[in-house]
Amino acid sequence: MAADVNGEVETRIEPKKIVSEFCHLLEKSRLLFNSLRDLPQFGGKHWQTHFGKTFDVYTRLWKFQQQNRTILDEHYHLKRWQIGEIASKIGQLYYHYYLRTSETNHLQESFAFYSAIRSRAYYSQASKEEKPDLMVKKLRYYARYTVVCLLLNKMDLVKELVQEFTHYMEEYVTVYDADDDEEWRLVISEVTAFVQADNLVSVMTPDVLPVMLSHRMKPLDIPSMHAGPPSGSVLSLQEIIIIGNCEKQVKFSELTLDMFRMLQALEREPEENPPRTLETSMSNEQLPEDRSSTETSINPKRPNPHKYLLYKPTFAQIHVFLSVGFKELPTNGVLMVYVSGDACVGSSRQGDDGPYEQGGVLTSQRKTGNEEGGAKRRPTNTKEAHCLYPDDLVPLTRKPLLVVVDCPSSHAFKFFPNLFGQPLLCLMSPSSAPVAVSELNRKGSLFTMFLYSPLVAFSYICSIADLRSDLWDSCQRQIRRILGDILRVFHDWSRAVDLTFQKFLEDDLMKMLILRYVFCFYAMHLHRAFKGSEYYPKCFPKLPTEILINGGVEKQVLELASMLDVRSLFYEVGEAPPFD
């Protein structure tokens, strides 16, 4: 105890106590963070409490080290990389909170922390510490930072990170003679291929500067109809299962291009306010305002539905997540299942249309127990164990269900049984593609691309790789006009359309998927390279001809083609071939 100049008593904490408290917080945060790995990925609300406790401890730890930096530097020998490690953990917390909630603002928070680590060079001395595990942490940080930047469409920054990632990987291998270099080279090659494959259309300003595009849903994108109030309760898309298993498709961090695109297609654009960063909004390296006490409860008006991402899952995993999504579905909620995978060929013959005979979507290349270790092969009259068949989803039709199938064998879902009278919609990709676009499989599916960004997909089928920014903006306005016209056609022919469409059109995200599906049909039906019904997407229940062949909509699509100077690639109004 000591008196200050005013005679007041000043309390001085001994350095040993400060170091002891710091070590206590450090150990407690480590234990809480590691225990997050044991939490199930699905169901329940207990994880929110655990995340809240973890956020709280890291908030205290960050502020404590900032307030006592001088003493910790002198008596604990606090290193820059240790501060970076704390910030990296907080970035990971925000990223995993995004995965749990689908709220993109948490992605921005994660980006703020990862950006601060890089700009302040917290890991700059990692290679000089004679600790190979520290260099591995640095490389893992770069991999995680890259994923966050990909999800935020910061492609220019991703390219910079890949260059730095490669440099530090080479440094790690050289300094420590590491034997896991092939694993890190694979990570770098995957992200490089991912960025290259996703860059299908380049948009440039008049000054030849690249424009970074975002394809999450914006309020301006959503066409509206001034109709009367909806009858009955309004449905809302709440739970989504995204499954990816295309063996030849580019992927990064258990995220295929189709999964990556559909993930963004089902999210709203985050708030325009720039994320708070450690550099601009907080002095003295303070932690951004703690959200754990205010945002760990489920928001009934959350802007984005909750999503599960399953990369090459077994049927057992799919079954568990489907069951949990079904269970978690609130009243008037809709469950969506999106599956992108290789074809699982059926065994049906003429007149044999029984359950599981039409085929499905292969979800994993893993072998069954009878096929492993050289055991006898699976009998030819049995079915694939890790294949999603239409009948697997029948129990889920007890509640409103939306299914999107992107696979060459998607036609297997066109006889989807609806036994419970609930709204049920299945959107299916074409089963064939023109040779000119068949190479797209590695760079993602064309059908998913239309659901993700209609203009990018339309440009691709017209072999357009570069656009001026002013032309891009004009074409986007034309796309919005087309989608608005399609919605008006739905309204004009509402009595001829299955009630499921009318119910699902009440939700903005489902409305966008349905309207983009119809635009995809028009683009493919009018394009001369798509010859026959197997080249067009299908849906169950079927849409009436009045929706799919409308002279006004066709005229607007052809106007888009004229704007892009590719009018010759398309049929005239009314000249497109008939379809089944």
Side-chain angles (χ1 to χ4, degrees), residues 493-511:
W493 292 92
S494 58
R495 293 186 178 181
V497 177
D498 190 277
L499 183 61
T500 290
F501 286 97
Q502 299 179 36
K503 298 294 290 183
F504 283 179
L505 285 169
E506 295 169 356
D507 176 90
D508 286 342
L509 286 170
M510 291 191 292
K511 178 195 297 183

Side-chain angles (χ1 to χ4, degrees), residues 477-496:
R477 289 192 289 272
Q478 180 66 11
I479 291 285
R480 288 194 288 270
R481 282 192 287 269
I482 295 171
L483 298 185
D485 284 352
I486 294 172
L487 183 59
R488 281 189 285 274
V489 173
F490 266 103
H491 177 70
D492 293 342
W493 292 92
S494 58
R495 293 186 178 181

Side-chain angles (χ1 to χ4, degrees), residues 398-521:
R398 289 173 168 84
K399 295 182 180 180
L401 178 66
L402 169 61
V403 182
V404 179
V405 184
D406 198 335
C407 176
S409 58
S410 61
H411 59 273
F413 289 76
K414 66 182 178 181
F415 301 112
F416 211 118
N418 186 1
L419 306 179
F420 299 96
Q422 292 289 336
L424 168 64
L425 174 62
C426 183
L427 305 179
M428 294 161 277
S429 68
S431 55
S432 298
V435 176
V437 298
S438 60
E439 295 181 358
L440 186 63
N441 290 335
R442 185 174 180 276
K443 298 182 179 181
S445 164
L446 184 60
F447 181 62
T448 293
M449 192 185 301
F450 267 101
L451 301 181
Y452 163 68
S453 175
L455 184 51
V456 169
F458 193 87
S459 300
Y460 185 85
I461 65 174
C462 298
S463 301
I464 297 173
D466 300 284
L467 283 174
R468 302 187 318 273
S469 58
D470 56 339
L471 180 56
W472 171 270
D473 293 338
S474 297
C475 290
Q476 285 285 47
R477 289 192 289 272
Q478 180 66 11
I479 291 285
R480 288 194 288 270
R481 282 192 287 269
I482 295 171
L483 298 185
D485 284 352
I486 294 172
L487 183 59
R488 281 189 285 274
V489 173
F490 266 103
H491 177 70
D492 293 342
W493 292 92
S494 58
R495 293 186 178 181
V497 177
D498 190 277
L499 183 61
T500 290
F501 286 97
Q502 299 179 36
K503 298 294 290 183
F504 283 179
L505 285 169
E506 295 169 356
D507 176 90
D508 286 342
L509 286 170
M510 291 191 292
K511 178 195 297 183
M512 289 301 294
L513 287 179
I514 292 172
L515 296 182
R516 288 174 176 179
Y517 162 83
V518 177
F519 173 77
C520 174
F521 178 89

Side-chain angles (χ1 to χ4, degrees), residues 289-355:
E289 178 187 355
D290 176 39
R291 302 288 188 91
S292 60
S293 61
T294 59
E295 293 190 1
T296 52
S297 60
I298 290 181
N299 180 4
K301 296 183 179 180
R302 62 190 182 190
N304 296 320
H306 176 245
K307 297 181 288 292
Y308 294 113
L309 305 176
L310 305 181
Y311 173 67
K312 293 190 175 183
T314 64
F315 177 75
Q317 292 171 318
I318 294 174
H319 181 72
V320 169
F321 281 89
L322 288 176
S323 299
V324 170
F326 182 85
K327 179 182 177 182
E328 295 290 315
L329 207 61
T331 304
N332 302 327
V334 177
L335 172 65
M336 174 178 169
V337 179
Y338 167 85
V339 54
S340 163
D342 297 325
C344 181
V345 181
S347 57
S348 63
R349 298 184 181 88
Q350 189 70 27
D352 184 9
D353 297 328

